[in-house]
Amino acid sequence: MSLASPQSLTHHDGKKRRMFELPQILQARNGKMTRELMLNPGAHGLGMTHDSMQADATTVATCGYCATGCGLRLHVREGEAVGLTPETNYPVNLGMACPKGWEALEVLNADDRALYPQRRRSDGQMERVSWDDAFSTFTEKFKSIQDKHGKSSVAFLSTGQIPCEEMAFLGALAKFGMGLQHGDGNTRQCMATAVTAYKESFGFDAPPYTYDDFEQSDCLVFVGSNPCIGHPIMWERVLRNPNRPEIIVLDPRRTETAMAATQHLQLRPKNDLAILYAITHHIIACDLVDHEFVQAHTNGYQQLVDHVADFSPDSVAESAGLSAGAIRKAAETIGKAGAASLWWTMGVNQSYEGTRTAQAIINIALITGNIGRPGTGANSITGQCNAMGSRLWSNTTNLFGHHKFESAEDRQRIASILEIDVDSIPVEGSWSYDRIVEGIDNGEIKGLWVIATNPAHSWIDQGNFQRLIEKLDFLVVQDMYDSTETAQHADLLLPAAGWGEKEGTFINSERRYGLLKKVRKAPGEALADFQIFRGIAAYWGVGEMFADWTHPEAVFKKMQAASEGRPNDISGIDGYRQLDACGGIQWPWTKPDADAMQTPPQQRRLFADGHFCHPDQRARLIVDQITPMPEPADQQYPIVLLSGRGTVSQWHTQTRTSKSKVLRKLYPQRAYVEMSPVDARELGIHNGDTVEVRSRRGAISVTAMVTPTIQPGQAFIPMHYGVTNHLTLSHFDPHSRQPSYKDCAITISKA
Ligand SMILES: Nc1nc2c(c(=O)[nH]1)N[C@H]1C(S)=C(S)[C@@H](COP(=O)(O)OP(=O)(O)OC[C@H]3O[C@@H](n4cnc5c(=O)[nH]c(N)nc54)[C@H](O)[C@@H]3O)O[C@H]1N2
Ligand SMILES: Nc1nc2c(c(=O)[nH]1)N[C@H]1C(S)=C(S)[C@@H](COP(=O)(O)OP(=O)(O)OC[C@H]3O[C@@H](n4cnc5c(=O)[nH]c(N)nc54)[C@H](O)[C@@H]3O)O[C@H]1N2
Ligand code: SF4
Ligand SMILES: [Mo]
């Protein structure tokens, strides 16, 4: 391995580097202290960093998979975490965890961990290189693309799975330091619809709830949401509800969650908007409206009444695949509940009319006055551990901390907080993910930097995507593993530390900032993403701009400053120590809050005063026309394909969960399609047969799983298998640009 040479550390900008000094690298390579500490002399964090964990101890950290954000107690022996148990005192999970959480340490030991930087040679093989070479290559290649094709010909795709501080660093480095105009992330695939819906309806991306609401509702409505699989510990909170609540589930499949419901509206896919309008129609018809709340706190009620007049339960029921009675019953249950909460996830967000569907849910909560009180809310459940962090801090769609790139005032504010030149801040937001992909296709994007996401598996319509990434002049992939589908296309691979190997904060679904802890040493030469960004800043020649971005908590302080006076204000949090002591803290927690009360109450919801974030403090009731499904089932492709989460033990593209022996035992290794017994009989297919599933974009071979949970004319394939997105149709919600992953036409035949 070659060591960094003195020349290489000065030739990019000629300035002295305060943050990335040669002797530290050399010392680190010589052993003794961890590389992170050497690269980062300021890092001290919690006293629970790897280096200070002398003896046996325990410490609590937030889980790094889903946005439930469970607290896990890590058991440390001789400075390394050797086991974990769910934390009983953590306000989220109260001593519970799902199998992924229990196995969180195991997947760090995998054989395919990326151990050192790798660069593609001219013969196509990857070769091991030093960090010095890697950073130099990164800089030279991307700068030469920018010189030839313009600054915005290099783009980045980031994630909802690294801590806020790393997201903030990445976004600031890429946009303000490197001059990239375009960057988006996998949160587009996941939460963009909820963000857009909340912004328009409430005036800010503000999920109002706290998990205690699961326990306090009399009626819980889950729309396109399967928490038994996707958010099992949230579901445990529902099971603790002492009110024997009504549970209404809208899902075309009879999922585990639907089986546990008291009312399952097993709709035809993508009839949600019509059904929600029919529910609204009936709530109005029965006068179950909270008129006082509507008058005081909303705009657009009359328009809503007029719009839903056309959506009587009788007129909607048949095409939606339900009975009018079932719609009326659901409407009355919601309207008469003392405290109704409405929850939605990907069955709504991943739809070509997702934003309006989410807003139809929000409308119902608003007109029934189910907001701001215990057990209520129009509640989008977040997917990834830090998807909410990416919404606030990734600096992609919104300027740092949910400001606006378009606003001169906002740009000035962020420039002075970050002490950077205001002219380094772009005056427009980034292209959305699909537009970046299109830019690759038509040659506008030549360089791509992918961080903690695996688009060569997860992006919609893979056949097309795989072809497109080959068009790039230079692809950098920054991942924990070197075997991912995307890493296999990389020209440069940057090995990253993972959860448990670094510090920072995640924001869970109920707006809770929780702490991530370093309880393991990253393998080989892998570095925390934070340190990789520091290295890139130095080699790019913008080290000065980030001179005081020395460690995650220093960045957290910048986030606090940027948040002050805004709905997401966290200026009152007394650093990581208080987050640790409190079991996480929900935003907002302002300085005046902190002055008034030393410790934040553990369960806080928004809008208790009925004041929303629009200038007039009123929420908007938003309605729209119904859009037809772009690729409905027809004679040639008679089945609608749904996709989503398969089991509790599988996470996304399986780079992590497939590395645990325990988890691997808990799910089928081979991709499978769930199909209805009615269709199977007609097609002569038996359970366990190998079948071909074909769409207009591709054909795959999978195992048939014949199950009555699927309705005739529909099928379901989990997203965890690389084949699924070879079938999906590239189409998007027009407002949020979120991919509509859960509807396209297919045919199934015996192989
Ligand atoms: N075990 C596990 N848990 C996870 C994840 C994981 O990969 N594995 N991923 C996390 C992430 S990032 C996310 S975003 C969440 C996702 O969590 P969920 O959204 O709950 O999971 P999905 O299975 O994608 O979709 C939910 C349901 O939408 C239904 N659906 C499909 N089409 C429609 C429709 O037209 N209308 C309605 N009403 N429903 C429809 C599907 O049948 C499915 O049951 O899970 C998180 N938790
Ligand atoms: N058909 C279909 N497709 C879907 C969906 C669907 O329902 N149906 N759901 C969509 C949704 S909601 C989502 S969120 C996406 C998820 O799609 P992806 O984001 O592509 O999936 P992951 O497997 O979570 O990829 C995360 C990557 O980051 C790496 N990683 C983990 N931790 C770290 C870290 O700390 N640093 C670095 N540098 N790397 C790290 C992992 O090894 C992995 O390669 O998939 C979407 N795709
Ligand atoms: S429910 Fe989510 S946060 Fe909790 S242990 Fe499982 S994956 Fe981790
Ligand atoms: Mo997601």
Side-chain angles (χ1 to χ4, degrees):
M1 167 182 61
S2 75
L3 295 169
S5 64
Q7 297 90 308
S8 70
L9 281 167
T10 45
H11 77 250
H12 294 296
D13 58 3
K15 282 183 203 151
K16 183 178 178 298
R17 293 211 172 75
R18 291 203 304 229
M19 52 174 269
F20 202 81
E21 305 271 5
L22 175 70
Q24 290 160 7
I25 300 180
L26 289 170
Q27 282 179 37
R29 298 274 154 82
N30 289 340
K32 285 245 163 109
M33 298 179 83
T34 68
R35 186 180 318 109
E36 281 80 348
L37 200 75
M38 293 317 305
L39 290 180
N40 184 5
H44 47 269
L46 292 167
M48 222 34 220
T49 56
H50 183 77
D51 302 274
S52 59
M53 278 188 308
Q54 303 298 343
D56 302 356
T58 70
T59 187
V60 177
T62 307
C63 178
Y65 285 105
C66 88
T68 306
C70 296
L72 304 174
R73 181 167 289 276
L74 294 144
H75 302 256
V76 178
R77 191 178 300 146
E78 291 166 12
E80 285 274 309
V82 290
L84 64 82
T85 43
E87 173 57 13
T88 44
N89 283 328
Y90 204 72
V92 167
N93 52 316
L94 316 170
M96 301 174 278
C98 83
K100 294 186 296 302
W102 279 103
E103 284 292 290
L105 288 168
E106 181 55 28
V107 304
L108 300 174
N109 305 329
D111 294 338
D112 61 343
R113 282 299 298 271
L115 299 178
Y116 36 77
Q118 296 174 50
R119 186 174 55 196
R120 197 170 297 283
R121 291 194 310 234
S122 49
D123 67 358
Q125 296 302 308
M126 292 300 267
E127 67 177 349
R128 174 178 179 169
V129 294
S130 67
W131 272 110
D132 173 46
D133 281 341
F135 288 141
S136 300
T137 306
F138 180 100
T139 305
E140 279 154 24
K141 289 284 183 186
F142 279 161
K143 281 196 172 182
S144 90
I145 290 174
Q146 285 186 320
D147 286 344
K148 239 205 261 166
H149 305 282
K151 286 233 155 128
S152 51
S153 60
V154 176
F156 66 104
L157 292 175
S158 84
T159 186
Q161 294 178 59
I162 57 176
C164 296
E165 295 77 0
E166 294 185 345
M167 283 172 187
F169 202 156
L170 169 62
L173 169 63
K175 291 222 166 161
F176 312 148
M178 296 165 59
L180 309 193
Q181 168 71 32
H182 304 302
D184 203 10
N186 61 9
T187 306
R188 181 74 60 179
Q189 299 164 318
C190 187
M191 302 313 299
T193 292
V195 175
T196 310
Y198 276 140
K199 266 164 76 173
E200 290 178 3
S201 294
F202 291 164
F204 197 80
D205 176 20
Y209 60 99
T210 187
Y211 291 160
D212 192 41
D213 291 321
F214 285 123
E215 299 184 18
Q216 299 235 17
S217 288
D218 310 313
C219 167
L220 298 106
V221 185
F222 290 94
V223 189
S225 184
N226 187 13
C228 287
I229 297 296
H231 299 91
I233 303 306
M234 292 192 198
W235 184 250
E236 292 292 336
R237 299 290 301 261
V238 176
L239 297 180
R240 288 164 49 101
N241 184 316
N243 308 329
R244 306 182 105 257
E246 282 287 328
I247 298 177
I248 302 173
V249 170
L250 272 81
D251 198 307
R253 297 188 301 144
R254 192 155 176 78
T255 58
E256 296 76 356
T257 310
M259 287 178 204
T262 54
Q263 300 176 37
H264 178 200
L265 302 187
Q266 194 167 10
L267 71 165
R268 289 211 182 92
K270 303 294 163 282
N271 279 273
D272 303 75
L273 190 53
I275 293 168
L276 291 163
Y277 286 159
I279 288 175
T280 309
H281 174 111
H282 194 63
I283 286 172
I284 293 168
C286 298
D287 199 22
L288 296 169
V289 173
D290 183 341
H291 292 287
E292 213 176 299
F293 185 89
V294 168
Q295 270 219 316
H297 302 298
T298 68
N299 280 343
Y301 182 65
Q302 193 51 48
Q303 192 196 345
L304 172 77
V305 172
D306 296 344
H307 187 79
V308 301
D310 296 338
F311 292 86
S312 69
D314 285 312
S315 70
V316 161
E318 200 186 324
S319 53
L322 301 174
S323 73
I327 298 176
R328 280 195 285 266
K329 183 175 173 197
E332 287 169 37
T333 309
I334 298 166
K336 290 177 182 165
S341 55
L342 297 102
W343 309 82
W344 82 86
T345 320
M346 292 310 118
V348 172
N349 284 356
Q350 292 171 344
S351 155
Y352 54 85
E353 58 183 5
T355 300
R356 294 298 179 246
T357 305
Q359 287 167 333
I361 296 170
I362 295 172
N363 293 345
I364 292 173
L366 288 169
I367 64 165
T368 55
N370 276 302
I371 199 117
R373 292 184 289 116
T376 66
N379 304 332
S380 147
I381 300 175
T382 319
Q384 308 168 81
C385 50
N386 201 24
M388 197 180 295
S390 75
R391 287 145 76 170
L392 286 169
W393 300 112
S394 66
N395 209 29
T396 52
T397 309
N398 303 302
L399 174 60
F400 201 81
H402 225 79
H403 291 76
K404 290 190 181 73
F405 283 105
E406 294 77 8
S407 154
E409 194 188 328
D410 282 6
R411 290 198 301 276
Q412 193 52 60
R413 177 163 195 260
I414 293 304
S416 58
I417 288 168
L418 300 183
E419 297 174 66
I420 59 172
D421 182 356
V422 70
D423 293 331
S424 67
I425 302 183
V427 298
E428 273 170 54
S430 160
W431 280 349
S432 56
Y433 202 132
D434 65 299
R435 182 65 185 84
I436 292 174
V437 172
E438 190 188 311
I440 299 172
D441 196 14
N442 59 29
E444 293 161 301
I445 301 290
K446 297 283 190 186
L448 188 68
W449 179 18
V450 176
I451 305 99
T453 183
N454 188 10
H457 173 138
S458 60
W459 186 245
I460 200 158
D461 188 5
Q462 270 306 309
N464 191 40
F465 187 80
Q466 305 265 344
R467 178 180 66 77
L468 291 185
I469 51 173
E470 286 304 323
K471 284 185 155 189
L472 289 165
D473 287 351
F474 202 65
L475 172 66
V476 179
V477 176
Q478 185 166 322
D479 205 286
M480 290 169 65
Y481 303 97
D482 59 18
S483 60
T484 75
E485 286 98 333
T486 313
Q488 285 170 31
H489 294 270
D491 298 302
L492 180 69
L493 180 90
L494 304 178
W499 175 90
E501 298 166 345
K502 58 183 180 180
E503 290 181 347
T505 59
F506 286 157
I507 314 176
N508 80 352
S509 242
E510 49 163 5
R511 310 181 316 283
R512 185 180 303 277
Y513 279 83
L515 268 182
L516 194 66
K517 305 259 177 87
K518 179 166 194 268
V519 290
R520 282 275 184 107
K521 189 178 169 303
E525 294 178 20
L527 290 176
D529 294 287
F530 195 91
Q531 306 303 345
I532 298 177
F533 301 143
R534 282 164 58 83
I536 291 171
Y539 278 68
W540 196 272
V542 291
E544 286 301 315
M545 194 182 222
F546 298 97
D548 60 351
W549 297 53
T550 48
H551 58 290
E553 199 168 0
V555 177
F556 185 75
K557 292 209 172 86
K558 295 178 192 295
M559 291 158 44
Q560 289 185 288
S563 74
E564 200 168 349
R566 305 185 46 84
N568 59 317
D569 191 334
I570 48 166
S571 60
I573 296 176
D574 187 10
Y576 282 4
R577 270 170 212 288
Q578 195 187 17
L579 289 178
D580 206 24
C582 292
I585 297 175
Q586 292 168 295
W587 66 259
W589 188 246
T590 66
K591 278 184 184 152
D593 289 337
D595 289 342
M597 202 185 296
Q598 257 196 339
T599 312
Q602 270 309 355
Q603 301 287 339
R604 290 180 297 126
R605 56 188 65 76
L606 303 180
F607 310 131
D609 55 5
H611 294 168
F612 295 90
C613 308
H614 285 296
D616 63 2
Q617 299 192 330
R618 288 164 166 274
R620 306 284 186 265
L621 297 161
I622 298 168
V623 289
D624 210 337
Q625 300 306 315
I626 305 282
T627 319
M629 195 187 287
E631 189 182 74
D634 58 16
Q635 268 198 320
Q636 209 187 348
Y637 294 93
I639 294 172
V640 174
L641 176 66
L642 311 172
S643 65
R645 276 74 201 155
T647 67
V648 166
S649 305
Q650 286 165 293
W651 179 257
H652 293 165
T653 74
Q654 294 258 61
T655 64
R656 287 196 269 170
T657 42
S658 68
K659 310 300 157 54
S660 147
K661 245 191 251 159
V662 173
L663 297 181
R664 266 203 316 272
K665 286 207 181 93
L666 299 174
Y667 62 82
Q669 297 306 302
R670 188 160 189 264
Y672 59 94
V673 57
E674 293 182 7
M675 61 187 296
S676 139
V678 176
D679 290 342
R681 210 171 305 126
E682 202 168 290
L683 297 165
I685 291 167
H686 297 100
N687 193 44
D689 284 352
T690 294
V691 292
E692 187 194 70
V693 182
R694 177 178 289 279
S695 78
R696 289 186 175 85
R697 292 149 298 279
I700 63 174
S701 172
V702 296
T703 306
M705 186 183 283
V706 179
T707 163
T709 59
I710 302 288
Q711 302 190 77
Q714 297 168 28
F716 174 84
I717 307 183
M719 64 160 300
H720 313 297
Y721 305 98
V723 291
T724 311
N725 280 319
H726 286 269
L727 303 173
T728 46
L729 169 74
S730 206
H731 64 305
F732 305 88
D733 177 277
H735 310 284
S736 69
R737 304 307 299 169
Q738 180 158 344
S740 194
Y741 281 113
K742 292 178 171 19
D743 58 295
C744 74
I746 55 160
T747 173
I748 304 178
S749 56
K750 210 166 157 164

